[in-house]
Amino acid sequence: MAHLSAGKVNFSTLRELARKDLVSLLEKFNGTKAIFWDEELTGPIGLVAEYSFLKELDVVKMFQLKRGRIPSVAVKNILFITRPQIELMDCIADNLHCEENQGHSANKEYQLIFVSRRCAVCEQRLKDKGVYGTLTSIDELPVDFYPLDSDVISMELDSVFKDLYVDNDTSSLHQIARGLMTVQSLYGIFPNIVGKGRHVRNIFELMTRMRRDIGVDCDPPMSPLFDTLMIIDRTVDLVTPVVTQLTYEGLIDEFYGIKHNTVKLPGEKFQAGASGGQSPRSDDNTVKSIVLNSAEELYADLRDKNFSAVGTTLSRKAKAISAQYEERHEAKTVSELKQFVAKLPQMQATKQSLALHTSIAELVKEITISDAFQEALQVEQDLLNGIDTDKVCPYIEDFICKQEPLTKVLRLICLQSASNSGLKPRVLEHYKREIVHAYGFQHMITLHNLEARPFTVIRRALNLTVDDVNEITPTDISYVHSIYAPLSVRLVQWAAKPGWKQISDVLNLIPGPLVQETQPISMDLRSYIHSSIEETKVTLVFFLGGCTYAEISALRFLSKRDDAPTDYLIATTNITNGENFLNCLSETLNNSLV
Amino acid sequence: MALLTADWNPLGREAYYRKFEVYSMGWIDQVNLQDLKVTVAPSGGPIAVVRDDTKLTPVQTSGKPIIFIFSPSGELKSTIKWSGGKIVEIDWSSSEELLCIQDDGSVSVYDIFGNYQNSFQMGQEAREMKIIDARTFPSSTGTGLVVLTTNFRFFVVNNIKDPRIRRFPDIPGVNIAPSCWAAIHGDDRQTRVIVAKEKDIYLLDYSEQHVAQKTPEISHHHLSIIAMAVSPCCKLVALLTDAGVIWIGSFDFRRKFCEHDAQCMLPAVQLVWCGSGAVVLNLGSVLLVLSPNRDNFTLILDSTSHVCPEVDGLRIITNSSHEFLQKVPLPNQEIFRIGSMSPGAILVEASREFQKRSHRAEEYIRLVKNQLEQAVIQCIQAAGNEWQPSVQKMLLRAAQLGKSFLFDKVDSELFVGMCQTLRILNAVRNYKIALPLTFQQYEQLGKTGLLNRLILRRQYSIAIQICQYLQMSEADGIPRVLTEWACYKIKHGLGKLDAEQLASEISAKLGTGSKVSYSSIALKAIECKQEKLAIRLLDFEHRASEQIPLLLKLGQEPQALAKAVESGDPNLIYYVLVVMKETYSADKFYMTIRHYPSVNALYAKLCRTIQMGSLEQIYEQEDNFNAQAILSVKDSYRAQKLENRSAMLTTAVKQYRQAKAEIAASLTEDQLKLLKTQSGYESKFGCPVIDVSLNDTLKLLMRRRDIKETEEMVKKFKVPERRLWWLKVTTFAEIGDWAELEKLSRLKKSPIGYEPFVDVCLQYNNVTEAQRYLPKVEEHLSIKYYVKAKLYTEAAQIAFQRRDTEALHYVQSRCSSNRDAVDMINSLIAKLANPSESQNKR
């Protein structure tokens, strides 16, 4: 996990804190333990604590939390580690009832651990189900942010956007503010908090309140490592998530879905010869799990590139590595040979990594050159450029008739709506009718949820579509979508140069209030800030409601520029893409007719 | 040194006892102890006096007695005009509460300012039989109380804060009053009573309901035992016989240490222990001090006295002074004993010479060089035991001198700590504050104990100064004192100030720092029935988790809700909602939560997940027809019968109409129509049709080649032409009805172009059929489509005709595995690149 500490701010401390919390929690329970995991947590917790680490804490077995009888294990403690969700409580209640009926409960202790916070509603549910008393203890594991990489931390909460903007349920803001407080406790108080969007001020106010409740004199005793916390509310830019990402990492995510840094790919491409790369573990023959992060040098290099630049990079690297192998012929003396041998393991790793990514790139390319992809991309780019956005788009209509995946259709409709500043009622009506008739009435609710999203006004004036983008050696962030620069990242870019004050008329066109606040910091800590002024400033960009890999790539691009006024690190509620974004808004209604 | 040892009395060979004045009493000339019953609180506590009914005194006032409470320096603090029943005994608890025990067994508790606190009973039997005597004792959980009833039964409570009454076993033998008794609470946490009935002694144990008779060996003739005392360590017992003989022995009465004829005029006033080393018999103005070895001396006092045992000595209260008798602590004895050559004594001598700037200081230091560390420690410890600041200073100076030769060998914590402690002790010993604590008593009491005493005395200012001086933690330091101050202010400011004034005065003093617990102050206000003040005070509390439960307790639900929303904490909002749901009517509930969108949303979620209430009701309340309609749609999918589903969808249509959502309404109507049609088909075709989409239904009909029904459906649902064509094209290809597809293509110009025709043919690998439609493909797509059909030659030809090199390259890139085609295209490209040459060749 050394790669986590490679960044401007060391995110491995966040991981260590989580581990420490986990240790002190598990040490409370004497004796052997079996953990029943909420399935959705295994991924995120896996980022901070691997199984071998838990084994050292007397965890002998791990299971997935599900209804019914739980497997019998000879342990002292049964630990349920879950998110605070009602269905999961019902699951636990069911488990405990079975245990009691079978008389297992006498010699075991049952502990419940909430991630990341106790929940009164859930506890009430357990009481209603009559199992509250069976639990020996209820605790919380206060892990809110998980480090994904040296420059990205995520809360891995997929439902935030829907909760906030479809259900208007602001409960998650409290957890978010708490998470940011933890970040502050490790890296110092953010001197500036700025942002744009509906809930930014809420977060700032909650943080201020929490800081006051802890006591201002209990501030973390360190000079702030971040200069600014910039909160970008997803509603500021609803276009970017639905635009197809064209970076290497973005495309892998679009096609195969990266979850908690891991992607599952079809196995046949990676037969014995081609296998390698970073900790590949084959689940079975058909699926191969690959961990993707900057610990792998080649991937760190490739991930942010536009896909059209990936091929050349791979072949250049391949040439370089074979040149390195050739050096063995030039090694004449023993010491030269020795040097060469010393380099071998690293070369071997590079070679494996090259093979891995060549295979992945081939997989991705198969899709990118397909007619279906090209056609949809063309439609997408036409819409982005504002061509015929006021009419029913025949391509979209055809996609519906062909019953292409619904999310693909919805993405394009959202995009059209966005670039047309909302659809004309007639057009919207037509699309709705077509969709319901083609895909079935059960999608009515999903369509309603989509309408609940405030469609943004997007202007050509914002310079978001760029014509001649250099995909290979980019000069602007628009390379991540080939023609389109993510509005969210543009906002971040403008904040540093020329400053939001200069573009206030443009900002007024974007929904949601602007927040520009400073947090008071005691004098002795402040003095450090001034002494470290020589160094580049660091901004933590927090995406409220999720961000895409392409946005992360764009921010990395901004950080790497020579004249970059500040470095950017990324925090987000979750990482999303068009498909996930729309899926979280859709609602499944199942037929229960008998 | 002679001065310091002047009032030392040797008791045997090893021990010295000294007596010194703590305060000269402020009550001089006003109080005569002879007529009074006196009780003194332990650890330097206050003194309560009341007229002694057993003594004959000229009656000044008739009727009810008055209890006076004095400070240890004899300053009148308060008076209690007794209006209750007959008082059997008054005594102090270990936390300085005055217990007034009445003959009916009821005990009233007062604070040192004479304010009534609470009361409790000693049980039914005590009430009916009346009690004749009572004693308090320090127990492991606080203060205990034993009472003796007229039928000579003992009842005990081990903690007056939690009065659980237990009865002791009966005393065996003739039913006469015990001549004396004592209650003890040992290290084993058991309370026992030793009772003497004339000559017999019994040990009563309630937990085992056990009585043991003891027979101490007393050689002097006597008829009864009239007083007894148990040493503070609970190992020794002293008895006094009616013949004036003191017997000292072990607690189990098996061993006798001494028997001493005090030759006194009885009745004696008090028999008590001074520490565990000596017994003191108080004969009024004469004290007899007797050691277990029978060594003894007498002290003559200037007036009648009352003595009060402490852990490390004896307090002697007289009409004019408050004195302390103690065994001289060992370090002090070592240093000040005449002719002592202990290291400490020599170091003190060195220091004295050093002050005089005499060279002999060095000689003394050299004398104790090897024991300097011990000398320093001796001096520091001795300083703690001295009452006079000048002597303390002298000893500390000596310690300091010694320390300077030791460098780091002596822990300076010890020295600094002692200086700090003495500073505090001297401050609280001041007669105005009047807390005459010895070092040992202070050690036992602790920092927090001292603060508690100061708070009890309302000495808030010095309490805060001590907190600051000792840099005490937030939890038990200044914020606690301030909170107590505020509580006092509330209790006593009532009536004088209104709620608003009081609240602002308190907040002005306490500030808005996060450490002061406004909620606990508000709780006090609630106790004092000052709801308005409590509400006002809770405004200053910013920890919502503290504030909200109290607001709810005060019935301030709307405010609690507002605060919960501010805090953003969903747990708190839920908590308030639960309470409101119980106490409010449905209407009022909705009216209250509707102001907060976030609460509304949370409540809706709770309705959905845990059925906290009904969602319909919320939406009806808000006239949110759209949401109602959505709910109906969702519900319809939960229905198990088609009729139910249809009924719910019909409701949804109505609701959509009300919401003016025309599209949704008409789509839902379509769905109703579709369901009806589908259910008809289901019985007709005998296969599941319900719940598939309209398009799929149409496809089903087409697959069945049911043209009539298809047309009817198209009309019924106004299916647009483009969609119909799409459906036909895909379905015909699916069922391989190529003839029908061809017929369709010739019917009229396709509204969807001919590309889909090619696509579907290719999808089913029918290139021959595809070729039929390829020429009809739009010009700009034709090359692409020929390539799609893998007809590379044709594609290349078209490109060549259009003289489009780029297109040729495109075609070539797609057929790279086909050598012939690649070559052919290469030649075409060459032709285009150099047209003249190829013409020449020809």
Side-chain angles (χ1 to χ4, degrees):
Chain A
M1 289 298 150
H3 68 283
L4 288 182
S5 40
K8 200 76 183 160
V9 167
N10 184 354
F11 278 151
S12 66
T13 33
L14 204 58
R15 180 171 179 268
E16 271 144 35
L17 180 72
R19 283 164 84 97
K20 216 177 80 198
D21 285 341
L22 194 60
V23 170
S24 59
L25 195 55
L26 291 191
E27 277 178 350
K28 267 175 63 177
F29 314 121
N30 289 324
T32 50
K33 305 160 189 78
I35 300 183
F36 286 78
W37 288 100
D38 165 5
E39 196 189 356
E40 289 292 308
L41 279 177
T42 44
I45 297 284
L47 292 169
V48 293
E50 57 282 4
Y51 183 38
S52 57
F53 174 74
L54 294 172
K55 263 187 180 161
E56 285 169 31
L57 297 166
D58 255 352
V59 175
V60 287
K61 271 266 184 192
M62 306 219 284
F63 302 94
Q64 203 186 90
L65 180 60
K66 51 182 176 234
R67 278 178 176 275
R69 259 174 54 187
I70 59 178
S72 67
V73 268
V75 289
K76 178 111 192 313
N77 298 282
I78 298 278
L79 271 56
F80 298 103
I81 307 188
T82 78
R83 292 164 300 153
Q85 285 197 352
I86 296 296
E87 310 84 72
L88 296 168
M89 297 306 112
D90 293 351
C91 246
I92 292 171
D94 202 34
N95 290 166
L96 290 176
H97 281 309
C98 289
E99 285 281 281
E100 271 174 2
N101 290 341
Q102 290 180 301
H104 289 319
S105 51
N107 42 17
K108 283 200 186 106
E109 296 207 346
Y110 301 91
Q111 333 277 358
L112 173 58
I113 298 168
F114 283 117
V115 179
S116 66
R117 194 164 186 242
R118 289 181 74 143
C119 162
V121 186
C122 288
E123 287 172 38
Q124 186 58 46
R125 181 67 156 206
L126 293 170
K127 282 177 197 157
D128 293 345
K129 294 259 170 188
V131 293
Y132 191 76
T134 315
L135 293 164
T136 314
S137 72
I138 297 183
D139 289 277
E140 52 184 33
L141 179 64
V143 181
D144 289 314
F145 275 103
Y146 300 90
L148 291 183
D149 218 313
S150 61
D151 55 353
V152 185
I153 55 176
S154 164
M155 301 182 81
E156 303 291 81
L157 289 176
D158 286 333
S159 65
V160 170
F161 185 79
K162 179 170 189 273
D163 287 346
L164 286 179
Y165 298 106
V166 178
D167 297 340
N168 287 316
D169 173 13
T170 51
S171 308
S172 48
L173 294 179
H174 192 260
Q175 191 191 345
I176 289 166
R178 211 171 75 128
L180 290 170
M181 291 303 289
T182 311
V183 174
Q184 275 196 147
S185 74
L186 292 177
Y187 307 110
I189 300 291
F190 302 114
N192 305 297
I193 296 183
V194 301
K196 170 96 181 153
R198 199 159 112 203
H199 288 302
V200 176
R201 181 155 295 281
N202 291 359
I203 291 186
F204 170 72
E205 277 164 5
L206 283 177
M207 285 173 72
T208 313
R209 204 188 151 85
M210 288 176 181
R211 186 176 172 209
R212 192 191 60 194
D213 284 3
I214 307 168
V216 176
D217 39 336
C218 297
D219 279 346
M222 56 171 66
S223 65
L225 292 173
F226 291 107
D227 179 70
T228 304
L229 168 68
M230 189 180 288
I231 305 173
I232 301 290
D233 192 321
R234 191 70 265 175
T235 49
V236 159
D237 171 16
L238 290 166
V239 181
T240 306
V242 296
V243 179
T244 309
Q245 309 174 65
L246 294 174
T247 56
Y248 182 50
E249 189 166 41
L251 280 169
I252 298 175
D253 185 41
E254 294 268 345
F255 297 155
Y256 295 102
I258 303 176
K259 265 192 130 183
H260 322 300
N261 280 357
T262 306
V263 67
K264 289 194 160 85
L265 295 174
E268 69 266 20
K269 272 274 171 188
F270 305 91
Q271 290 319 316
S275 82
Q278 222 232 309
S279 56
R281 84 197 123 84
S282 316
D283 297 341
D284 49 63
N285 283 333
T286 50
V287 176
K288 186 182 164 73
S289 294
I290 296 165
V291 176
L292 297 171
N293 60 34
S294 64
E296 191 185 356
E297 202 185 310
L298 178 64
Y299 185 65
D301 193 23
L302 287 177
R303 67 195 316 186
D304 301 320
K305 286 195 169 14
N306 185 294
F307 188 65
S308 49
V310 168
T312 45
T313 312
L314 280 173
S315 66
R316 202 178 58 237
K317 294 266 172 181
K319 269 180 210 147
I321 195 85
S322 50
Q324 263 190 336
Y325 270 111
E326 287 310 305
E327 279 174 24
R328 72 178 187 275
H329 300 302
E330 287 155 33
K332 293 204 172 66
T333 67
V334 176
S335 74
E336 276 172 350
L337 258 175
K338 224 175 171 178
Q339 265 179 11
F340 177 78
V341 171
K343 275 193 286 180
L344 262 178
Q346 204 233 325
M347 281 160 64
Q348 207 71 35
T350 316
K351 206 180 140 197
Q352 276 185 356
S353 166
L354 255 174
L356 176 75
H357 286 288
T358 311
S359 305
I360 298 177
E362 274 168 17
L363 273 176
V364 170
K365 195 170 177 186
E366 261 171 37
I367 302 175
T368 55
I369 62 166
S370 71
D371 290 322
F373 179 82
Q374 288 292 337
E375 228 172 274
L377 190 64
Q378 187 61 46
V379 176
E380 180 183 303
Q381 297 190 341
D382 285 350
L383 290 174
L384 276 171
N385 281 320
I387 299 169
D388 286 343
T389 53
D390 56 340
K391 292 192 272 234
V392 171
C393 170
Y395 292 102
I396 297 180
E397 214 181 359
D398 290 352
F399 288 154
I400 299 173
C401 289
K402 281 195 269 184
Q403 298 219 12
E404 298 265 355
L406 182 58
T407 43
K408 179 174 165 184
V409 171
L410 291 177
R411 272 174 93 154
L412 291 171
I413 296 176
C414 290
L415 202 57
Q416 183 180 1
S417 164
S419 49
N420 195 52
S421 313
L423 293 172
K424 284 185 179 168
R426 193 183 49 77
V427 177
L428 183 63
E429 184 178 345
H430 182 77
Y431 283 143
K432 271 189 167 180
R433 192 176 295 276
E434 290 296 300
I435 288 173
V436 168
H437 283 177
Y439 297 91
F441 186 70
Q442 63 268 32
H443 297 288
M444 268 299 280
I445 310 295
T446 304
L447 291 174
H448 173 82
N449 285 350
L450 281 174
E451 266 181 285
R453 299 176 0 160
F455 283 120
T456 51
V457 183
I458 177 170
R459 302 277 149 144
R460 216 76 38 88
L462 301 188
N463 195 20
L464 295 180
T465 49
V466 179
D467 283 337
D468 41 347
V469 170
N470 188 337
E471 294 172 349
I472 312 293
T473 47
T475 53
D476 182 73
I477 55 168
S478 50
Y479 84 94
V480 298
H481 295 292
S482 285
I483 64 154
Y484 164 77
L487 167 59
S488 52
V489 184
R490 264 284 189 267
L491 276 181
V492 176
Q493 186 183 7
W494 284 329
K497 218 163 63 177
W500 280 355
K501 257 199 203 117
Q502 309 290 315
I503 51 158
S504 57
D505 46 338
V506 181
L507 285 174
N508 286 339
L509 298 174
I510 299 170
L514 190 68
V515 173
Q516 282 173 301
E517 298 286 350
T518 54
Q519 296 202 92
I521 294 175
S522 71
M523 283 316 281
D524 39 335
L525 295 180
R526 200 162 263 288
S527 61
Y528 287 106
I529 308 174
H530 291 298
S531 70
S532 61
I533 205 143
E534 297 299 310
E535 290 176 38
T536 336
K537 291 193 235 166
V538 186
T539 302
L540 183 67
V541 181
F542 176 67
F543 288 94
L544 173 60
C547 72
T548 65
Y549 283 108
E551 286 174 305
I552 295 174
S553 293
L555 284 170
R556 286 193 184 125
F557 172 80
L558 289 182
S559 291
K560 275 185 206 142
R561 287 222 289 210
D562 294 337
D563 57 343
T566 163
D567 262 338
Y568 296 103
L569 298 185
I570 298 115
T572 180
T573 49
N574 60 319
I575 293 193
T576 189
N577 59 33
E579 185 146 337
N580 298 341
F581 190 64
L582 291 172
N583 276 342
C584 91
L585 298 179
S586 71
E587 217 152 313
T588 353
L589 292 178
N590 292 320
N591 183 16
S592 51
L593 289 181
V594 285
Chain B
M1 282 305 108
L3 208 67
L4 281 170
T5 49
D7 51 2
W8 288 19
N9 288 293
L11 190 68
R13 276 198 192 158
E14 298 295 321
Y16 292 88
Y17 276 75
R18 67 177 177 188
K19 177 176 73 96
F20 54 85
E21 187 179 73
V22 176
Y23 300 117
S24 64
M25 294 307 261
W27 67 28
I28 194 161
D29 299 335
Q30 289 164 22
V31 168
N32 186 1
L33 293 178
Q34 199 141 30
D35 318 328
L36 298 167
K37 190 173 179 137
V38 181
T39 170
V40 182
S43 301
I47 305 162
V49 298
V50 67
R51 198 184 64 216
D52 191 344
D53 290 337
T54 61
K55 289 171 186 162
L56 291 171
T57 44
V59 176
Q60 286 158 349
T61 50
S62 61
K64 302 293 181 185
I66 298 173
I67 301 165
F68 299 89
I69 298 174
F70 289 92
S71 80
S73 58
E75 214 177 310
L76 184 63
K77 284 277 162 196
S78 60
T79 51
I80 302 168
K81 287 196 182 111
W82 187 251
S83 56
K86 185 181 171 228
I87 293 176
V88 172
E89 188 67 68
I90 56 172
D91 210 348
W92 294 94
S93 78
S94 56
S95 48
E96 300 190 332
E97 295 147 315
L98 186 67
L99 310 178
C100 300
I101 302 130
Q102 297 178 43
D103 62 351
D104 63 352
S106 72
V107 183
S108 306
V109 184
Y110 291 82
D111 72 2
I112 60 170
F113 295 96
N115 295 310
Y116 172 79
Q117 304 288 305
N118 59 310
S119 61
F120 61 93
Q121 304 290 328
M122 286 307 289
Q124 198 180 354
E125 191 170 341
R127 190 171 68 232
E128 283 164 8
M129 299 308 299
K130 303 282 177 191
I131 58 176
I132 49 172
D133 202 0
R135 304 270 154 86
T136 62
F137 61 92
S139 73
S140 50
T141 46
T143 304
L145 176 66
V146 177
V147 295
L148 173 64
T149 60
T150 50
N151 57 342
F152 314 127
R153 273 189 175 150
F154 289 103
F155 293 89
V156 63
V157 294
N158 276 321
N159 181 5
I160 55 164
K161 302 268 163 184
D162 176 23
R164 265 175 290 182
I165 300 146
R166 294 192 173 91
R167 205 188 80 182
F168 276 99
D170 289 344
I171 316 160
V174 212
N175 210 6
I176 48 163
S179 49
C180 70
W181 60 279
I184 43 168
H185 186 86
D187 291 338
D188 57 355
R189 300 181 164 208
Q190 295 298 326
T191 308
R192 295 186 181 85
V193 166
I194 306 174
V195 56
K197 218 154 96 180
E198 304 201 313
K199 281 171 87 168
D200 303 327
I201 289 178
Y202 301 96
L203 190 63
L204 311 184
D205 192 327
Y206 76 81
S207 61
E208 290 165 30
Q209 287 294 314
H210 176 70
V211 180
Q213 188 172 3
K214 304 285 178 185
T215 39
E217 184 208 329
I218 302 173
S219 42
H220 287 75
H221 172 77
H222 67 286
L223 291 173
S224 71
I225 290 157
I226 57 166
M228 63 171 73
V230 182
S231 71
C233 61
C234 284
K235 283 182 184 137
L236 304 174
V237 185
L239 303 173
L240 178 67
T241 68
D242 55 348
V245 170
I246 300 172
W247 177 94
I248 302 177
S250 64
F251 181 69
D252 54 9
F253 297 95
R254 289 209 182 119
R255 284 179 63 200
K256 177 169 94 172
F257 293 113
C258 76
E259 213 174 300
H260 178 75
D261 187 356
Q263 296 172 332
C264 57
M265 295 283 290
L266 290 172
V269 183
Q270 284 173 294
L271 181 72
V272 292
W273 283 85
C274 173
S276 288
V279 175
V280 175
L281 181 65
N282 181 4
L283 297 162
S285 54
V286 177
L287 301 183
L288 172 71
V289 182
L290 173 70
S291 84
N293 297 331
R294 234 192 128 192
D295 302 313
N296 61 77
F297 64 87
T298 349
L299 287 170
I300 313 288
L301 305 172
D302 53 5
S303 77
T304 311
S305 69
H306 180 86
V307 295
C308 161
E310 295 275 5
V311 277
D312 57 339
L314 194 67
R315 284 161 75 194
I316 305 163
I317 315 285
T318 70
N319 284 347
S320 59
S321 67
H322 180 158
E323 291 176 300
F324 194 69
L325 174 70
Q326 69 171 169
K327 183 178 171 186
V328 178
L330 200 61
N332 303 54
Q333 193 185 322
E334 294 268 295
I335 291 172
F336 294 126
R337 204 181 53 219
I338 293 164
S340 168
M341 290 295 280
S342 77
I346 294 168
L347 182 59
V348 167
E349 208 47 51
S351 166
R352 204 187 295 269
E353 294 299 332
F354 183 72
Q355 304 298 324
K356 281 196 263 176
R357 296 169 169 259
S358 156
H359 62 88
R360 281 166 63 192
E362 209 241 337
E363 285 168 25
Y364 281 116
I365 289 287
R366 212 174 278 171
L367 217 58
V368 285
K369 215 166 71 185
N370 298 327
Q371 295 159 290
L372 207 49
E373 197 175 332
Q374 195 195 339
V376 169
I377 292 173
Q378 245 175 22
C379 285
I380 292 173
Q381 286 173 342
N385 295 325
E386 286 302 327
W387 202 260
Q388 291 295 329
S390 57
V391 184
Q392 295 164 3
K393 267 188 211 161
M394 187 257 289
L395 287 164
L396 286 173
R397 244 183 233 125
Q400 196 181 22
L401 178 73
K403 238 164 65 71
S404 59
F405 290 92
L406 284 168
F407 306 104
D408 294 333
K409 270 194 224 152
V410 172
D411 189 4
S412 20
E413 287 284 309
L414 196 66
F415 181 77
V416 175
M418 183 56 78
C419 291
Q420 273 186 346
T421 307
L422 282 176
R423 226 184 134 185
I424 290 167
L425 284 179
N426 289 337
V428 299
R429 281 169 186 169
N430 181 298
Y431 76 98
K432 277 186 182 152
I433 292 161
L435 255 176
L437 289 172
T438 62
F439 182 77
Q440 208 179 327
Q441 288 164 13
Y442 170 69
E443 290 275 272
Q444 204 181 41
L445 206 56
K447 274 195 278 197
T448 342
L450 177 64
L451 271 191
N452 288 343
R453 297 273 143 120
L454 289 170
I455 289 168
L456 270 181
R457 282 163 179 69
R458 298 177 194 158
Q459 298 286 356
Y460 301 108
S461 163
I462 190 167
I464 286 180
Q465 281 171 33
I466 287 174
C467 291
Q468 276 166 344
Y469 182 62
L470 291 178
Q471 295 176 341
M472 283 176 74
S473 70
E474 296 283 359
D476 42 21
I478 295 171
R480 212 197 119 219
V481 181
L482 284 174
T483 307
E484 294 284 351
W485 168 81
C487 291
Y488 162 72
K489 190 88 189 158
I490 289 170
K491 235 171 135 181
H492 297 269
L494 289 180
K496 288 173 221 154
L497 296 165
D498 69 11
E500 196 60 35
Q501 271 176 309
L502 211 48
S504 58
E505 208 170 295
I506 288 170
S507 70
K509 198 72 136 200
L510 272 58
T512 47
S514 57
K515 296 298 178 284
V516 177
S517 165
Y518 276 98
S519 50
S520 59
I521 302 172
L523 195 61
K524 191 84 198 172
I526 297 174
E527 275 170 24
C528 298
K529 307 250 180 306
Q530 286 291 297
E531 277 82 8
K532 235 171 101 187
L533 176 62
I535 294 166
R536 188 76 189 78
L537 283 169
L538 280 173
D539 250 0
F540 295 106
E541 175 64 68
H542 47 63
R543 274 164 304 187
S545 52
E546 303 283 317
Q547 179 186 40
I548 287 165
L550 284 182
L551 283 172
L552 289 175
K553 197 172 172 179
L554 288 165
Q556 301 293 309
E557 285 88 358
Q559 225 165 323
L561 188 61
K563 298 288 178 193
V565 171
E566 257 174 55
S567 79
D569 185 336
N571 280 344
L572 289 175
I573 301 177
Y574 169 71
Y575 184 45
V576 179
L577 283 180
V578 169
V579 173
M580 277 174 54
K581 192 88 190 158
E582 270 170 26
T583 50
Y584 276 28
S585 69
D587 281 349
K588 200 173 166 199
F589 179 81
Y590 295 124
M591 288 304 283
T592 317
I593 68 168
R594 70 177 307 157
H595 302 297
Y596 305 101
S598 61
V599 177
N600 252 340
L602 183 68
Y603 180 63
K605 190 166 138 193
L606 291 171
C607 290
R608 270 202 308 275
T609 53
I610 57 164
Q611 289 79 47
M612 190 176 183
S614 105
L615 271 172
E616 284 100 331
Q617 263 181 8
I618 317 177
Y619 297 145
E620 272 165 31
Q621 201 77 22
E622 293 173 348
D623 288 343
N624 188 344
F625 300 114
N626 216 344
Q628 285 177 39
I630 288 170
L631 206 60
S632 302
V633 171
K634 282 188 186 170
D635 282 346
S636 80
Y637 273 84
R638 253 177 250 131
Q640 296 187 332
K641 283 195 178 141
L642 190 59
E643 306 88 81
N644 295 351
R645 183 191 278 194
S646 302
M648 285 184 224
L649 286 178
T650 316
T651 320
V653 173
K654 217 185 299 161
Q655 287 159 332
Y656 274 131
R657 287 262 144 74
Q658 280 172 306
K660 304 225 177 343
E662 285 306 321
I663 313 171
S666 86
L667 283 172
T668 315
E669 270 177 343
D670 280 358
Q671 177 66 8
L672 275 165
K673 264 193 279 177
L674 182 63
L675 282 173
K676 207 172 148 202
T677 327
Q678 282 174 336
S679 91
Y681 292 155
E682 212 158 78
S683 49
K684 204 158 127 197
F685 305 155
C687 63
V689 190
I690 287 179
D691 222 41
V692 302
S693 70
L694 173 63
N695 287 9
D696 288 336
T697 316
L698 281 166
K699 279 181 166 181
L700 177 79
L701 293 173
M702 289 176 197
R703 272 201 294 274
R704 298 179 65 92
R705 299 193 165 81
D706 199 334
I707 299 165
K708 194 176 140 247
E709 202 63 53
T710 311
E711 271 171 13
E712 216 159 276
M713 284 281 275
V714 167
K715 230 182 275 162
K716 211 194 266 178
F717 290 97
K718 298 197 190 79
V719 176
E721 201 186 12
R722 278 176 57 88
R723 190 184 340 150
L724 187 60
W725 275 69
W726 266 108
L727 291 174
K728 281 184 174 166
V729 169
T730 43
T731 317
F732 292 156
E734 206 181 295
I735 55 175
D737 197 341
W738 306 113
E740 201 59 39
L741 187 66
E742 210 255 324
K743 222 162 92 191
L744 179 69
S745 76
R746 279 187 288 110
L747 191 67
K748 63 176 208 179
K749 190 179 181 309
S750 161
I752 56 171
Y754 291 90
E755 297 82 10
F757 284 76
V758 180
D759 278 329
V760 290
C761 292
L762 293 176
Q763 199 186 335
Y764 293 96
N765 294 319
N766 196 335
V767 184
T768 336
E769 278 300 318
Q771 266 171 312
R772 203 192 287 276
Y773 309 106
L774 274 167
K776 290 186 175 179
V777 167
E778 270 194 60
E779 207 179 297
H780 72 276
L781 292 170
S782 56
I783 296 176
K784 192 174 141 196
Y785 269 81
Y786 275 103
V787 170
K788 257 192 186 179
K790 299 201 172 65
L791 300 166
Y792 303 115
T793 325
E794 288 82 347
Q797 284 305 332
I798 297 170
F800 181 70
Q801 273 157 26
R802 292 184 194 163
R803 314 188 67 80
D804 188 342
T805 321
E806 206 178 307
L808 278 170
H809 280 294
Y810 164 75
V811 177
Q812 198 178 31
S813 74
R814 289 309 182 92
C815 60
S816 45
S817 54
N818 186 337
R819 266 292 12 119
D820 294 344
V822 171
D823 289 346
M824 187 267 293
I825 294 168
N826 271 339
S827 73
L828 289 178
I829 293 170
K831 262 189 213 166
L832 280 184
N834 207 341
S836 55
E837 192 180 293
S838 50
Q839 267 170 11
N840 284 347
K841 246 187 192 169
R842 240 179 240 171

